[in-house]
């Protein structure tokens, strides 16, 4: 039986980690909070990828601590205000989050394009040719994309802990910050209430990282290229993109 889209008038939805929502319309949120919905794939009834969370006519809705991958988009707000924080969006499609929504401490990886009105402390690690537009904000990390409003352009240096073969590993750990990440301690206080824990369960302290991971950094299990090598990798990727080479 196909799972229908879930409508929530108010309250808090908490999903067990790593439980996918197949063949559904995602979560339709009307006020309240959606938290810990770590979906691998969310598809509509015909198999088409859809937005994981659709926030409709809500005031002060909160979308937090979620993992979304290869969906049409991560979150869509319609006639709503609220917060989007401590989420990881991996290879989702284009997204747009307008005025009245505070977007902070998220990690966006390989989105086709993003347009956000107000963004703080986010990592935008993108595909070559993708664009990020941020109208207002600060302390965002932009990697392999044009630099939007507020922040710096650097490799976030993820720990890359997931190798796909070691028993017990979780692909979500791929986007934790390594001990040499330039995102450690470079965030700003974006909200009076920054929450108590991040996506990975780390306590939110006085020192704020950029991205969804607020930990002290973990040892990388793969070699992280130097800035010099990374620069030439970027140039090579730009040339391949220009020539249409896959």
């Amino acid at each position: 039986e196909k799972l229908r889209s879930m409508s929530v008038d108010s309250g808090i939805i908490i999903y067990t980690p790593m439980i996918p929502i197949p063949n559904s319309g995602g979560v339709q949120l009307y006020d309240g909070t959606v938290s810990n919905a770590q979906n691998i794939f969310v598809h509509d009834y015909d198999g088409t990828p859809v937005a994981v969370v659709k926030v409709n006519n809500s005031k002060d809705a909160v979308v937090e601590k979620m993992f979304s991958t290869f969906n049409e988009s991560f979150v869509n707000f319609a006639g709503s205000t609220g917060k989007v924080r401590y989420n990881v969006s991996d290879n989702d499609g284009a997204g747009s989050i307008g005025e009245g929504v505070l977007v902070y401490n998220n990690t966006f990886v390989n989105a086709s394009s993003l347009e956000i009105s107000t963004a703080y402390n986010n990592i935008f690690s993108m595909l070559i040719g993708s664009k990020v537009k941020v109208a207002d904000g600060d302390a965002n990390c932009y990697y392999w994309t044009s630099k939007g409003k507020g922040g710096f352009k650097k490799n976030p240096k993820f720990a890359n802990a997931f190798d796909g073969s070691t028993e017990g590993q979780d692909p979500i750990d791929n986007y934790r910050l390594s001990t040499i990440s330039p995102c450690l301690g470079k965030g700003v206080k974006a909200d009076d209430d920054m929450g108590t824990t991040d996506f990975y369960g780390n306590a939110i302290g006085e020192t704020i990282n950029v991205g969804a991971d607020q930990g002290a950094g973990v040892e990388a299990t793969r070699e992280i290229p130097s800035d010099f090598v990374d620069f030439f990798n970027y140039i090579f990727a730009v040339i391949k993109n220009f020539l249409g080479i896959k």
Side-chain angles (χ1 to χ4, degrees):
E1 182 180 357
K2 293 181 178 179
L3 179 66
R4 298 285 178 178
S5 60
M6 182 177 295
S7 294
V8 179
D9 292 327
S10 63
I12 300 176
I13 315 170
I14 299 181
Y15 287 93
T16 302
M18 297 304 295
I19 298 298
I21 305 182
N23 300 317
S24 78
V27 176
Q28 305 279 343
L29 181 64
Y30 297 85
D31 296 331
T33 297
V34 57
S35 180
N36 294 332
Q38 297 180 9
N39 307 308
I40 299 303
F41 296 99
V42 179
H43 294 283
D44 210 339
Y45 311 119
D46 63 357
T48 304
V50 298
V52 175
V53 181
K54 299 175 183 178
V55 184
N56 302 295
N57 302 315
S58 299
K59 183 178 180 181
D60 300 329
V62 179
V63 179
E64 64 177 12
K65 305 177 192 176
M66 295 181 63
F67 178 79
S68 168
T69 185
F70 288 99
N71 292 297
E72 180 184 66
S73 64
F74 166 54
V75 60
N76 287 335
F77 274 74
S80 304
T81 61
K83 304 173 185 178
V84 178
R85 63 186 186 183
Y86 307 119
N87 303 286
V88 176
S89 172
D90 170 37
N91 284 280
D92 289 325
S96 178
I97 304 175
E99 295 181 0
V101 183
L102 180 59
V103 181
Y104 64 89
N105 288 102
N106 301 280
T107 298
F108 297 96
V109 179
N110 295 346
S112 56
S113 67
L114 289 170
E115 188 168 352
I116 301 174
S117 289
T118 308
Y120 292 85
N121 308 337
N122 299 283
I123 293 175
F124 300 107
S125 179
M126 310 296 280
L127 295 169
I128 291 295
S130 61
K131 295 185 181 299
V132 176
K133 295 182 180 179
V134 173
D136 188 30
D138 195 12
N140 297 298
C141 174
Y142 301 90
Y143 181 54
W144 283 29
T145 185
S146 54
K147 180 175 173 291
K149 177 78 173 182
F152 53 92
K153 249 188 129 167
K154 286 188 177 181
N155 182 347
K157 297 184 178 177
F158 296 123
N160 294 324
F162 180 65
D163 61 21
S165 61
T166 303
E167 184 177 356
Q169 281 193 324
D170 188 330
I172 292 174
D173 284 336
N174 196 44
Y175 304 120
R176 299 197 74 168
L177 299 179
S178 70
T179 54
I180 60 172
S181 171
C183 296
L184 292 171
K186 298 301 182 181
V188 298
K189 187 173 182 180
D191 192 4
D192 290 337
D193 178 11
M194 293 288 289
T196 57
T197 57
D198 71 356
F199 176 81
Y200 296 99
N202 298 306
I204 307 299
E206 292 297 320
T207 301
I208 306 297
N209 295 339
V210 175
D213 182 7
Q214 296 302 299
V218 297
E219 291 295 329
T221 57
R222 295 182 181 180
E223 183 179 356
I224 298 175
S226 67
D227 291 341
F228 180 78
V229 171
D230 191 61
F231 172 75
F232 281 97
N233 287 340
Y234 172 76
I235 296 300
F236 183 61
V238 169
I239 294 172
K240 285 179 62 179
N241 182 69
F242 178 78
L243 297 176
I245 300 173
K246 299 297 184 182

